Amino acid sequence: MANEQDNQLKKVISHAKEYGFIFPSSEIYDGLSAVYDYGQNGAELKNNIKEYWWKFMTQMHDNIVGIDAAIFMHPTTWKASGHVDAFNDPMVDNKDSKKRYRADVLIEDAIGKMEEKIAKEVEKAAKRFGESFDKDMFVKTNPRVAEYQKKIDETNDRLKTAMSSGNMEAMKQLIIDLEINDPISGTKNWTDVRQFNLMFSTEMGSVADDANKIYLRPETAQGIFVNFLNVQKTGRMKIPFGIAQIGKAFRNEIVARQFIFRMREFEQMEMQFFVKPGTEMEWYEHWKQTRMKWHKALGLGNDNYRFHDHLNLAHYANAACDIQFNFPMGFKELEGIHSRTDFDLKSHEKFSGKKLQYFDVESNQNYVPYVVETSVGLDRLFLSILSNSLKEEKLASAEGEEGNERVVLSIPPALAPYKIAVLPLVKKDGLDEKAKSIADDLRSSFRCYYEEKDTIGKRYRRMDAIGTPYCITIDHQTLQDNTVTLRDRDTMKQERVAIAALKDKVSESVSLTGLLQSIK
Ligand code: ATP
């Protein structure tokens, strides 16, 4: 990771801790690797993100309903889903640094470097040729680019074959042939590549002999598949329809070094959309576009998102892509969109002996539906929002502002932990009582932060740092004419507003309804 990116991630981690967003789990015992707790502000932000997703899925689509399935499931579920046999990551250790890596990630990173080289050649040529530059032509004809591209294609092919056949020797050979160095020790002293199953297991039942090995679910999707008929029948759902779910998932990740990007306990927001076989590609396209719009409506910058098509398809998919986000570590997967065919339902039919089919009245036929899945990591979304919103700004001397720089968290107002801070200018002359009564009045509409300590400038700074979109200040004039100063977090502009007009004014920009309506 480049130094600048590394620094930005470090800043995000320390800000998240200092302002009550994220703490290392069981920190008094020195933490637990790749497990984190959400603090008082983090829990609010996380709940607001969930609500944005849940309402978009289940309220704005009349053919999608939500469920909440248990984390523990019958162990055969994971046989049927393929997780017992195939939910493995290939791992490799560097003998000098003693660091462990995912072999496929090392290889993908090497491919990424070759892609960067092509991008650099293109950039250089674009500068040289100016307006007359034809990028497609250049990529097709330039010998150096062609050579890189050939190597990329060959590597992708070899990676795909090795992964799908579980050939770990071929993975090791790829690492050798690509001359991959350990980023820490700089050496090529690698162990063999081994498969590692990512599921956590435990035992259910009080008597050792009767105890059954069960798993903590590694994805929420299977809870939806096993309930497909329950929901379809009781909800009288007609295909196409979706089932959504938010919940915890657990993976014993091999490498867990990127804060909440890759955790061992995390939360997923998944939706399985059941469609008629043969229509899945249309729906796959539809959900790709729809999910991208949902992300972009957050206003984190359209250029920070891109699609990445999968070349190595999972055993259950006939098409798959990621929506990647420009994290402090670079572009990485934020959400997966997968066309899962009828793999899961058919497999559950086979293992359970129960039919999981839909009767189509129009064609008078029974069939096993195909599935298009959208699956986004709640914690990764949280990180995308936090890392993109954390800014250090230089200030021109603004009235009522403290110092000449500030740290501001410009999170989308609808997701902010507090929507408004109510601040009496001084704690006397009845200003504090007036402020408390205003806060009490606003509380049924918004989460309010009341604070009377320190200078107003310092209080603004604290609110900026946790992303509160508005501050109102109660001063002596308030007592005379029932107006307050309303300060905007992003512009720092202040205006005089009647107390009676506050609710409407603030609602306009902090409501989730507004955010949902802006998805276009
Ligand atoms: P990766 O390739 O990064 O391991 P994946 O392709 O295995 O991810 P999926 O199984 O498609 O991920 O899971 C769907 C989503 O769940 C991902 O897009 C990601 O946002 C989230 N996710 C997966 N694993 C983790 C994890 N260990 N920590 C946090 N979020 C995760």
Side-chain angles (χ1 to χ4, degrees), residues 102 251 253 260-263 266 268 333-336 338 375-377 380:
R102 254 173 69 179
R251 296 183 188 178
E253 296 281 359
I260 56 169
F261 181 83
R262 190 174 297 288
M263 299 154 92
F266 59 100
Q268 288 185 315
E333 172 177 347
L334 173 62
E335 168 153 3
H338 311 125
S375 172
V376 61
R380 283 193 193 174

Side-chain angles (χ1 to χ4, degrees), residues 425-426 428-431 473-483 496:
L425 187 63
V426 287
K428 58 180 185 188
D429 306 334
L431 295 188
T473 306
I474 288 81
D475 55 18
H476 290 94
Q477 191 185 329
T478 311
L479 301 180
Q480 284 152 22
D481 65 4
N482 272 322
T483 63
R496 205 78 208 170

Side-chain angles (χ1 to χ4, degrees), residues 71-73 75 78 84 199-202 213-217:
I71 287 171
F72 291 142
M73 298 183 72
W78 305 110
V84 171
M199 280 200 294
F200 283 102
S201 64
T202 183
K213 181 170 176 185
I214 56 163
Y215 298 97
L216 297 185
R217 67 180 176 198

Side-chain angles (χ1 to χ4, degrees), residues 198-229:
L198 301 184
M199 280 200 294
F200 283 102
S201 64
T202 183
E203 265 150 34
M204 185 176 253
S206 52
V207 186
D209 287 350
D210 296 345
N212 260 328
K213 181 170 176 185
I214 56 163
Y215 298 97
L216 297 185
R217 67 180 176 198
E219 62 175 27
T220 59
Q222 299 305 324
I224 294 178
F225 293 128
V226 299
N227 279 299
F228 160 70
L229 262 197

Side-chain angles (χ1 to χ4, degrees), residues 4-105:
E4 199 180 311
Q5 295 173 333
D6 210 0
N7 281 343
Q8 175 64 7
L9 187 61
K10 278 191 187 139
K11 277 182 192 161
V12 171
I13 296 171
S14 74
H15 190 90
K17 179 159 181 230
E18 186 176 348
Y19 288 95
F21 285 90
I22 298 167
F23 307 123
S25 159
S26 22
E27 195 189 5
I28 56 168
Y29 297 104
D30 296 333
L32 184 65
S33 166
V35 185
Y36 291 89
D37 296 340
Y38 286 81
Q40 68 280 14
N41 288 323
E44 291 291 336
L45 173 54
K46 196 176 177 201
N47 281 340
N48 293 341
I49 301 172
K50 279 192 213 178
E51 202 184 348
Y52 175 46
W53 186 88
W54 187 261
K55 288 215 159 139
F56 175 69
M57 285 299 182
T58 67
Q59 185 171 309
M60 309 242 332
H61 292 92
D62 67 1
N63 57 354
I64 301 181
V65 291
I67 63 164
D68 184 10
I71 287 171
F72 291 142
M73 298 183 72
H74 191 284
T76 309
T77 310
W78 305 110
K79 263 289 199 202
S81 68
H83 283 81
V84 171
D85 297 321
F87 194 51
N88 301 318
D89 275 346
M91 65 176 177
V92 64
D93 296 310
N94 181 275
K95 291 183 198 159
D96 299 316
S97 69
K98 309 264 184 280
K99 286 277 176 204
R100 178 159 290 175
Y101 298 90
R102 254 173 69 179
D104 56 330
V105 173

